């Protein structure tokens, strides 16, 4: 299995249109991302697969983990290193059957209960949040804050990746709360210089220890 | 493998909103459809899978073949009898690897060249068209007419299912041209009584021989 990593960048072409998924992948990898997550809800399956295949190649060259959000079909066609499955996405138990133990399966959780479900269904890590207020997702729901994050870290014996409103400034807080790493969308994709924004997050993680 | 059938009804909730996928499945099955194809481009993967699972159960009760359009992930999760893959959808060769020989894979072709590709990639049948002008698909392209359909039937040793503008009145023409069967969307879904519309097509097929 590829590494679950600490700095997950979700490439996004809905919140911004200056950069393509490939542009963002290149910049995020150069800036120090160790996981790239591809989320694309529109377009033909063939187009989405082709983009995913290119992203996978780019990630593989730098030994960066490549994860596909939701779409098991795209993940399989692009030989992704794993999938990230939200509560409304493809079911985790069936994904495990199809992918075996060598591919990463991440689950999304907004509450302790959802985190428990991710664990019981066999996820390899939990993307937990929104920890802080975020503008990246319309349906993100209420923020958990640092205290609930701490409880999840304590109870759920899986790597917890904090998502939702995470920026360089609050990265030390989520790492001190026990999160293994962070996942960001707009904090990289919507910044003037996504590579520098990634590097700032990378440096914040380095300084925060583990 | 389930039967490829002669009367394929694509349930559609974009061109009309009076009936759900399940409503249409029930009416089409009652009217004599032997294949139901599920095409749903929006909504969460989980929702789409749940609808597909219900449609599959309904089809199985009547020994009707259940095919999922494009989405291999949904087809696998719903244990569909097969998939139908257009030129911009999931690639047929990889679908075959994943589904094995017991599940049906249909391909879409608008030209002889595309029909040859379906054959060489391992499709079990070809949905060929639009044979006649249609309003069901924005991107359907130019009509082939009956003559090209005949050539495809002659050259491609697979069951050919005619699609695009097929109605009860021209069904004898496409069957006499050698098509195994027909596939319709609006000729059922957008009619006042989809069950009766299906029955009319069924009767037209019965009268047309094989």
């Amino acid at each position: 299995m590829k590494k679950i990593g600490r700095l997950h960048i979700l490439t996004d072409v809905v919140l911004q249109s200056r950069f393509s998924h490939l542009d963002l992948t290149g910049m995020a990898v150069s800036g120090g991302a160790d996981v790239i997550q591809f989320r694309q809800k529109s377009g033909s399956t063939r187009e989405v697969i082709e983009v995913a295949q290119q992203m996978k190649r780019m990630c593989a060259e730098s030994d960066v983990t490549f994860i596909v959000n939701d779409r098991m079909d795209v993940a399989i066609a692009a030989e992704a290193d794993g999938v990230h499955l939200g509560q409304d996405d493809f079911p985790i138990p069936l994904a495990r059957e199809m992918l075996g133990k060598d591919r990463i399966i991440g689950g999304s959780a907004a509450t302790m209960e959802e985190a428990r479900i991710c664990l019981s269904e066999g996820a390899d890590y939990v993307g937990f949040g929104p920890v802080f207020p975020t503008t990246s997702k319309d349906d993100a729901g209420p923020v958990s804050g640092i205290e609930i994050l701490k409880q999840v870290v304590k109870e759920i014996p899986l790597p917890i990746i904090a998502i939702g409103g995470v920026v360089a400034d609050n990265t030390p807080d989520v790492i001190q709360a026990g999160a293994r790493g962070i996942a960001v969308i707009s904090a990289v994709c919507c910044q003037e210089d996504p590579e520098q924004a990634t590097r700032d997050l990378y440096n914040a993680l380095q300084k925060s220890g583990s």
Side-chain angles (χ1 to χ4, degrees), chain A residues 178-191:
Chain A
R180 160 83 67 97
I182 62 175
V184 305
I185 309 174
S186 56
V188 163
C189 300
C190 299
Q191 304 310 305

Side-chain angles (χ1 to χ4, degrees), chain A residues 89-108:
Chain A
D89 295 343
F90 195 88
I92 290 174
L94 182 55
R96 180 61 74 200
E97 264 181 54
M98 291 168 66
L99 295 180
K101 283 284 173 199
D102 287 344
R103 309 274 194 112
I104 297 168
I105 299 178
S108 290

